[in-house]
Amino acid sequence: MTYFPDLSLYEYEPSERVMLNIGWLSIEHEYPKGLVADVVVDALKILCAHPENQMRGYHQCEFCHALAPSVSGGGDGTRELVLGSAEVHIEGAGKTVYAAPNLVLHYILEHDYCPPREFCQAAVHAVGQESHDELTVLE
């Protein structure tokens, strides 16, 4: 997978919308680590059930070599979400749109990735959850 720094302009696929990158991680680059609130993880489990830019094939996680890791998600938490072949696009404050590989959920759960606060807030807001002051805690 291609590496892009968090909050850089999205250029992976052509898009009519201006978007910012989140979670395009690589083993060759450091990334922020910390705890992410359950409400953010739960929101991403819902959002990842509605992928954007679905690709053929799967990206293998560079950190643990998992191919197509899966988690339970969706609105009721029972849908198997296979990660590594699509993106999630989330509109945040001021019409900012964030584009993340759906592996962002795996990175958070398995590799302690801590996305930017504004992305976490946008995810929680997108699924209609209450905003929380403590969405992420950097280590």
Side-chain angles (χ1 to χ4, degrees), residues 23 47 72 95:
L47 294 166
S72 295
K95 304 291 183 191

Side-chain angles (χ1 to χ4, degrees), residues 88-109:
V88 59
H89 296 174
I90 304 169
E91 186 172 322
K95 304 291 183 191
T96 300
V97 179
Y98 302 99
N102 64 358
L103 269 176
V104 70
L105 188 51
H106 172 76
Y107 295 150
I108 291 168
L109 293 171

Side-chain angles (χ1 to χ4, degrees), residues 47 90-93 96 98 117-127:
L47 294 166
I90 304 169
E91 186 172 322
T96 300
Y98 302 99
R117 180 177 179 78
E118 53 266 47
F119 172 79
C120 295
Q121 290 172 326
V124 170
H125 180 74
V127 298

